[in-house]
Amino acid sequence: MTSDSPQRYRFSEAPIWELQRAYYEEQGIKAWNIDQVPQYITSNPMIGTAYAEMIFGFLQDRAMQGHLSETVNILELGAGAGRLAFHVLQKLCELRDYAGIPLPPFRYIMSDLPVKNIASWQQHPGLEPFVREGVLDFARFDVVNDTELQLVHSNTHIGAGDLQQPLMVIANYFFCSIPQELIYVDEGKTFDCDVSIRIPDPAAAAVPAELLQSVDLEYHYRRAESYEQEVYPYHEVIRFYQEKLGDSHVLFPEAALRCLERLGELSREGFLLLTADKGDHRLENWEFVEPPKLIYHGSFSLTANYHAMQYFFERKGAYSLFTGHHYKNLNVGCILMLPSPMSYIQTRLAYRRGIERFGPDEFFSMKEWVDPRIDTMGVQQFLGFWRLGGYDAEFFIQSAEHISSLLQDASDEELLDIHKGIQLMWEGYYPLVQNYDLALDSGLLLFEMGMYEAALPFLQRSLEANPEDPVMAVLYSLAICSYELGDEAGAAHYTRRALALEPDNEEARDLLAALNAAGTE
């Protein structure tokens, strides 16, 4: 991999994939904490709710088929920061408890390649209750090589044929970032697109992310008859492309197909894939496609070929669900590689309600439109969109200053709805190691609303999270909350701490004088 005589590689074997792997193993959970790798679009409360509805529908279908005793395992590939798993489990447990109907037990398995990620999940307070309940476990899984699962907490080994229930597989922003073949199809012939790699100054790029950013790809073509031979397991897909495509570069998901086949072997009943990605399931979107360009975000990603997955598994008896309309940012699909897939009525209805009618892609498109217009929204518009997004913390963070400006004219009912929204947001909040104090914004907003009892615990959380760097507004607000709630000793304590930061603050001095006059120690 030198700039003088670059070596040629088969695309799926190029060094970029080793750099990709090294990046994730080096960064661990930090890849998401520092916002390098995109996560919001595939890990927000709205998509978590849609997936929970799909899983709940699947559990209903299995129950109606009489399969109530064995556990349904839900394996998330590339679980990353863990935010999607948190939202799915929270909503799924909520649905289970609300419905109160007989269902098979379930277990969600978060998996990823870096051991660092598993260690982070084990320490995350948002995931611990699910582990304790027995509905969450973890596993290290190498999508390219592994054929079995070894669960961390239950110490359960899952091998070929061990599962009595179908395996549910979740893969969000996953297939776009694992090795793919790159073929060129024209005039009924297939060519391998080899790649040579140039790095302008390898010595200047010390870490995988920097090396990836500086990579320059050059493509080379060679005839590849091996894809067309019957011994190649996916030759029927290739033959279809030879018949239907011309002058087209196709990213072929051989690693993904092999992975799904291996995972399918773990169960005697097949698998269901629920996936969201920058991926195309329409054949016309692969016509006349130019060679791919890497999309960088710390690591890199490419377009996932959902068409090949759909075509291959449907020929084996699967039923696929993709939206009838075209996607903009995120294509959400479901492949039911199951015996009698049409019998999964509740699963299919859940897809229709939560994805087809209005789903994560539409929500994200709306959010992109709303974000720069937050300052034009009224209280009802804010509450409506916040509720639509599952009381999403990110939207609240973006909106907090504007909400504050609307409080003076808000009705009592609107203030109560904002209060309830903050409570629900906090219950569904999955914190990452980022420099944002959600408790501070929540507490100050409730304080402004005169809801002192509700504001107090949020302000205390903010103070506890930043003990070495207290904020004057937090200390003074805590003092007022304490005073209004009849805790004059607490009010005096916080006022003195506030004055230690700003000795000349007149409001704090007046409050302390009033407390002293009242005889507070």
Side-chain angles (χ1 to χ4, degrees):
M1 195 166 62
T2 67
S3 57
D4 293 327
S5 55
Q7 182 178 344
R8 294 184 183 184
Y9 302 90
R10 186 175 182 179
F11 189 75
S12 63
E13 299 171 358
I16 54 173
W17 301 108
E18 283 302 317
L19 290 172
Q20 177 99 308
R21 185 183 183 115
Y23 169 79
Y24 282 110
E25 291 187 328
E26 175 190 275
Q27 292 293 320
I29 215 76
K30 289 191 295 183
W32 291 270
N33 289 346
I34 58 179
D35 283 337
Q36 279 195 332
V37 178
Q39 61 166 312
Y40 177 81
I41 188 173
T42 55
S43 303
N44 58 67
M46 201 276 181
I47 194 171
T49 300
Y51 278 22
E53 293 277 3
M54 289 281 296
I55 296 168
F56 186 71
F58 183 79
L59 296 175
Q60 287 178 284
D61 285 327
R62 294 301 292 174
M64 286 187 286
Q65 294 169 15
H67 304 290
L68 281 162
S69 58
E70 295 293 331
T71 298
V72 172
N73 287 276
I74 307 150
L75 173 66
E76 183 184 351
L77 300 174
R83 180 180 279 176
L84 176 66
F86 172 79
H87 288 310
V88 170
L89 278 170
Q90 187 180 57
K91 293 302 178 183
L92 181 58
C93 291
E94 184 182 301
L95 287 169
R96 175 200 61 189
D97 297 341
Y98 182 82
I101 59 176
L103 294 171
F106 61 85
R107 173 172 54 198
Y108 196 105
I109 305 168
M110 296 170 63
S111 74
D112 216 332
L113 181 64
V115 175
K116 289 180 180 179
N117 290 5
I118 298 175
S120 296
W121 302 334
Q122 290 176 298
Q123 297 167 13
H124 200 290
L127 299 176
E128 194 274 334
F130 300 119
V131 175
R132 192 169 59 245
E133 187 184 343
V135 296
L136 177 63
D137 213 324
F138 311 123
R140 183 181 185 274
F141 186 74
D142 182 343
V143 64
V144 176
N145 300 308
D146 287 348
T147 59
E148 301 175 333
L149 293 169
Q150 181 65 42
L151 307 191
V152 173
H153 281 281
S154 62
N155 197 30
T156 300
H157 175 266
I158 301 175
D162 285 347
L163 300 180
Q164 304 292 322
Q165 298 271 28
L167 176 67
M168 295 194 74
V169 181
I170 293 177
N172 276 15
Y173 261 14
F174 182 75
F175 295 126
C176 66
S177 59
I178 65 172
Q180 302 189 59
E181 307 301 328
L182 178 60
I183 62 174
Y184 175 71
V185 180
D186 193 32
E187 296 181 350
K189 296 180 180 178
T190 308
F191 300 81
D192 246 324
C193 295
D194 292 340
V195 62
S196 57
I197 299 176
R198 295 180 182 273
I199 298 178
D201 186 4
V207 296
E210 294 175 357
L211 283 168
L212 285 170
Q213 287 279 5
S214 63
V215 160
D216 181 30
L217 303 181
E218 184 178 346
Y219 295 102
H220 313 272
Y221 301 85
R222 61 180 170 83
R223 185 77 169 91
E225 296 178 347
S226 58
Y227 289 117
E228 304 161 13
Q229 297 173 359
E230 291 195 7
V231 292
Y232 182 63
Y234 313 113
H235 71 275
E236 290 184 347
V237 188
I238 299 297
R239 182 184 302 147
F240 181 79
Y241 287 160
Q242 287 176 303
E243 295 172 355
K244 301 295 183 180
L245 297 177
D247 191 20
S248 302
H249 294 80
V250 179
L251 287 161
F252 193 77
E254 181 177 320
L257 290 168
R258 290 186 184 277
C259 172
L260 291 171
E261 287 192 285
R262 294 198 308 274
L263 290 175
E265 292 174 359
L266 299 180
S267 169
R268 304 176 188 181
E269 294 292 320
F271 70 88
L272 179 149
L273 171 66
L274 186 54
T275 180
D277 219 319
K278 302 184 301 280
D280 285 317
H281 67 281
R282 301 174 188 274
L283 180 65
E284 59 266 27
N285 290 339
W286 293 101
E287 289 183 302
F288 310 116
V289 175
E290 296 293 320
K293 294 181 180 179
L294 305 185
I295 302 170
Y296 297 105
H297 33 67
S299 58
F300 70 90
S301 61
L302 297 161
T303 301
N305 188 344
Y306 282 151
H307 177 271
M309 297 182 201
Q310 178 182 15
Y311 186 87
F312 176 74
F313 286 113
E314 283 186 351
R315 289 183 68 84
K316 294 171 70 70
Y319 182 77
S320 300
L321 296 165
F322 285 94
T323 61
H325 55 268
H326 294 80
Y327 83 97
K328 172 62 177 175
N329 298 289
L330 191 70
N331 197 4
V332 184
C334 180
I335 296 177
L336 295 87
M337 188 63 234
L338 306 166
S340 305
M342 294 300 290
S343 67
Y344 287 80
I345 298 169
Q346 297 302 322
T347 306
R348 294 189 291 113
L349 285 173
Y351 183 89
R352 181 174 179 173
R353 289 190 303 267
I355 309 296
E356 176 78 39
R357 185 179 66 84
F358 180 91
D361 184 47
E362 288 78 14
F363 172 74
F364 188 76
S365 294
M366 287 185 63
K367 188 174 186 302
E368 285 190 311
W369 185 88
V370 166
D371 283 349
R373 296 171 175 82
I374 286 173
D375 289 346
T376 68
M377 299 176 79
V379 175
Q380 284 301 316
Q381 288 73 44
F382 161 75
L383 285 170
F385 192 74
W386 195 25
R387 194 174 298 122
L388 178 66
Y391 295 101
D392 173 36
E394 178 169 313
F395 184 62
F396 176 82
I397 290 167
Q398 294 171 295
S399 309
E401 186 175 345
H402 179 59
I403 302 166
S404 175
S405 72
L406 299 174
L407 294 180
Q408 185 175 355
D409 298 322
S411 68
D412 290 343
E413 290 83 1
E414 288 171 336
L415 295 179
L416 288 171
D417 284 348
I418 293 172
H419 176 207
K420 179 174 181 170
I422 289 174
Q423 290 177 313
L424 293 171
M425 173 188 68
W426 193 261
E427 291 172 8
Y429 179 51
Y430 186 80
L432 297 173
V433 184
Q434 293 169 320
N435 294 323
Y436 192 84
D437 192 346
L438 182 65
L440 174 62
D441 270 357
S442 302
L444 290 178
L445 205 60
L446 290 166
F447 176 80
E448 289 184 65
M449 293 159 58
M451 298 181 178
Y452 302 115
E453 187 174 2
L456 188 67
F458 286 104
L459 295 170
Q460 288 172 333
R461 285 190 191 103
S462 175
L463 188 61
E464 290 166 3
N466 303 281
E468 305 301 323
D469 189 23
V471 177
M472 175 65 187
V474 173
L475 292 169
Y476 181 71
S477 299
L478 280 167
I480 296 295
C481 288
S482 299
Y483 178 78
E484 293 290 344
L485 296 172
D487 180 10
E488 294 184 350
H493 168 73
Y494 288 122
T495 305
R496 292 190 183 98
R497 289 189 63 182
L499 287 169
L501 286 180
E502 295 185 18
D504 297 328
N505 187 288
E506 291 187 10
E507 290 178 318
R509 291 174 66 179
D510 290 346
L511 178 58
L512 186 60
L515 290 166
N516 288 335
T520 303
E521 294 295 330

